[in-house]
């Protein structure tokens, strides 16, 4: 998205622009889910899979840094709120924001996406409507749909895993509550793009 190629936008950038840190981490969890590396734990939580993934391991260099951080942070089952507070995830989110700031996608003060990034987000959403099912979608398509539409896409594309893992709404029952939304601290919340595309809850 920051490289001027709207035909193949990066799901992590799209998610961070649309929904903030929580949305970006949700995309990382879904990427791990597609690899077979993460599964739902006790109600409202997620954990690393007990089955050896058949696909490329998430610690590989080809995996997105946020994906690697999320996988490493699930050494113990966690809901979304707890996952957002773990150090490796916070560091990966800060690194991603720094990278996008250098690319002109984010501003430092006040912190958040630039006007150009929000306009590009609206354009990508117009070109890629909310899918009605998984049929015909690649892994990239699934991640991008969740990055663009949050809970609405999760409900369609992961109707069992998303609620079981605590990805919908405010997150897992194991969490006492999310921290306030913060672009600087890597905590949860939602960002409205100004074009009427926000979710009913944070994603």
């Amino acid at each position: 998205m920051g490289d001027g190629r709207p035909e193949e936008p990066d799901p992590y950038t799209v998610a961070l622009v649309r929904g903030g840190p929580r949305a970006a981490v949700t995309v990382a969890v879904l990427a791990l889910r597609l690899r077979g590396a993460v599964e739902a734990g006790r109600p409202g939580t997620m954990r690393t899979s007990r089955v050896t993934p058949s696909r490329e391991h998430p610690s590989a260099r080809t995996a997105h840094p946020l994906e690697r951080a999320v996988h490493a942070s699930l050494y113990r089952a966690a809901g979304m709120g707890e996952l957002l507070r773990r150090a490796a995830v916070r560091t990966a989110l800060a690194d991603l924001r720094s990278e996008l700031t250098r690319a002109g996608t984010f501003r430092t003060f006040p912190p958040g996406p630039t006007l150009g990034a929000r306009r590009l987000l609206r354009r990508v959403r117009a070109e890629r409507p909310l899918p009605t099912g998984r049929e015909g979608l690649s892994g990239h398509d699934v991640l991008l749909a969740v990055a663009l539409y949050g809970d609405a896409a999760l409900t369609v594309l992961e109707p069992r895993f998303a609620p079981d893992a605590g990805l919908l709404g405010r997150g897992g029952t194991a969490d006492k509550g999310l921290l306030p939304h913060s672009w600087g601290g890597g905590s949860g919340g939602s960002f409205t793009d100004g074009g009427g595309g926000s979710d009913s809850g944070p994603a």
Side-chain angles (χ1 to χ4, degrees):
M1 191 169 179
D3 60 10
R5 295 185 298 167
E7 69 280 7
E8 285 296 334
D10 173 52
Y12 293 93
T13 303
V14 171
L16 197 62
V17 169
R18 179 195 60 79
R22 181 192 173 98
V25 170
T26 297
V27 169
V29 170
L30 259 293
L32 291 165
R33 166 72 171 171
L34 294 176
R35 288 176 183 266
V38 161
E39 63 188 13
R42 64 187 185 278
T45 69
M46 63 204 89
R47 64 188 181 193
T48 54
S49 175
R50 295 176 180 177
V51 178
T52 302
S54 59
R55 304 174 190 177
E56 187 175 318
H57 195 274
S59 64
R61 291 183 180 181
T62 54
H64 191 279
L66 184 55
E67 184 183 336
R68 295 199 299 268
V70 167
H71 187 261
S73 296
L74 287 174
Y75 56 86
R76 184 175 71 247
M80 180 59 75
E82 173 60 27
L83 184 58
L84 283 162
R85 289 190 286 267
R86 291 186 176 172
V89 172
R90 293 169 65 89
T91 298
L93 286 167
D95 290 345
L96 178 58
R97 280 193 300 271
S98 295
E99 178 185 333
L100 298 181
T101 297
R102 291 192 296 270
T105 304
F106 275 75
R107 60 179 184 270
T108 55
F109 186 81
T114 62
L115 180 59
R118 292 184 302 213
R119 287 173 175 166
L120 186 54
L121 172 63
R122 289 195 291 271
R123 187 174 74 189
V124 174
R125 291 187 76 157
E127 294 171 350
R128 296 174 181 257
L130 177 67
T132 57
R134 288 284 290 270
E135 185 176 0
L137 297 183
S138 67
H140 177 84
D141 293 334
V142 170
L143 297 183
L144 186 55
V146 171
L148 286 167
Y149 297 103
D151 283 4
L154 284 170
T155 301
V156 171
L157 301 175
E158 287 287 352
R160 295 186 62 182
F161 174 72
D164 288 350
L167 298 183
L168 299 177
R170 288 186 61 83
T173 56
D175 296 323
K176 295 182 180 179
L178 295 179
L179 298 173
H181 178 71
S182 169
W183 288 101
S187 52
S190 64
F191 171 79
T192 303
D193 64 17
S198 62
D199 293 326
S200 57

